[in-house]
Amino acid sequence: INQEHAVFTLMAELDLCGVPSTTMRLAGLNECDLNAMLADSIRAFPRTTKSLSRIVYQKTNGNPYFVKAFLKSLVDRHILNYSLRERRWVWDLRRISSEDITTNVLYFLSQRMSALTESAQTALKVLSCFGIKVRKSIVSHLIATSRYPDFQAGLDEANEERLLE
């Protein structure tokens, strides 16, 4: 993401208010490691996944989060799927290479979030205020409060979408 993104504005405002934060710069996977991970994930020989991993690398710059999201979107749309007849994963390189996927991870995630129901979005927003881990007692209180009547349904949807651990 670039410096004009809203997350940097938020971080600057938090810094002005004295809220401590940590900035982490993560390097992506290199093309060889991405190929090894992809081959292992679909239980194939690395030589057979090289062309697929090359395209995935070009689309994602090796960002592990974006790689996972991109591959999930390919599976969800049956561009990458398991063939029972062939007993292996199959894919359409031409369709994958023509995919118009943004390289901005936050944009992709925001698109994914906006597809959620309002109750799921609210649940995620409220939970994000508590940090990475939230005690069960807090979640129980949030479910029981009348302020968030659909909190449980929102949690269930977020879990189904694998947005929570």
Side-chain angles (χ1 to χ4, degrees):
I1 60 175
N2 61 33
Q3 291 291 0
E4 289 82 38
H5 195 277
V7 74
F8 289 109
T9 304
L10 174 63
M11 289 175 64
E13 289 172 4
L14 291 173
D15 190 44
L16 285 173
C17 294
V19 176
S21 64
T22 302
T23 301
M24 295 173 46
R25 301 206 187 283
L26 302 175
L29 299 167
N30 64 43
E31 198 170 334
C32 183
D33 290 340
L34 184 123
N35 185 50
M37 181 189 78
L38 182 59
D40 187 55
S41 297
I42 65 173
R43 301 198 191 305
F45 292 111
R47 63 182 159 73
T48 64
T49 59
K50 198 164 195 146
S51 56
L52 173 61
S53 66
R54 185 176 300 118
I55 294 171
V56 172
Y57 180 80
Q58 290 169 352
K59 299 280 184 186
T60 64
N61 288 330
N63 182 304
Y65 300 109
F66 201 40
V67 167
K68 179 182 175 187
F70 183 54
L71 291 172
K72 183 182 182 323
S73 75
L74 294 176
V75 170
D76 290 347
R77 292 176 296 129
H78 307 289
I79 299 171
L80 169 65
N81 64 324
Y82 188 78
S83 169
L84 291 173
R85 186 169 38 96
E86 296 183 44
R87 296 185 185 169
R88 67 179 185 90
W89 286 87
V90 294
W91 51 88
D92 184 342
L93 286 177
R94 194 171 331 140
R95 277 186 69 193
I96 294 169
S97 64
S98 68
E99 283 291 299
D100 185 25
I101 301 295
T102 180
T103 57
N104 186 325
V105 177
L106 290 178
Y107 176 77
F108 185 80
L109 289 174
S110 71
Q111 292 296 99
R112 187 172 173 203
M113 295 296 175
S114 66
L116 297 172
T117 63
E118 188 175 332
S119 62
Q121 288 182 31
T122 300
L124 290 171
K125 287 175 188 176
V126 171
L127 288 177
S128 71
C129 295
F130 294 97
I132 296 171
K133 292 186 179 185
V134 183
R135 290 191 314 242
K136 287 184 180 183
S137 61
I138 293 173
V139 174
S140 297
H141 176 73
L142 291 168
I143 291 169
T145 186
S146 61
R147 184 167 184 183
Y148 305 109
D150 298 326
F151 199 79
Q152 182 65 59
L155 285 179
D156 293 343
E157 182 180 349
N159 274 323
E160 287 173 18
E161 292 295 322
R162 296 183 180 167
L163 296 170
L164 299 173
E165 290 184 1

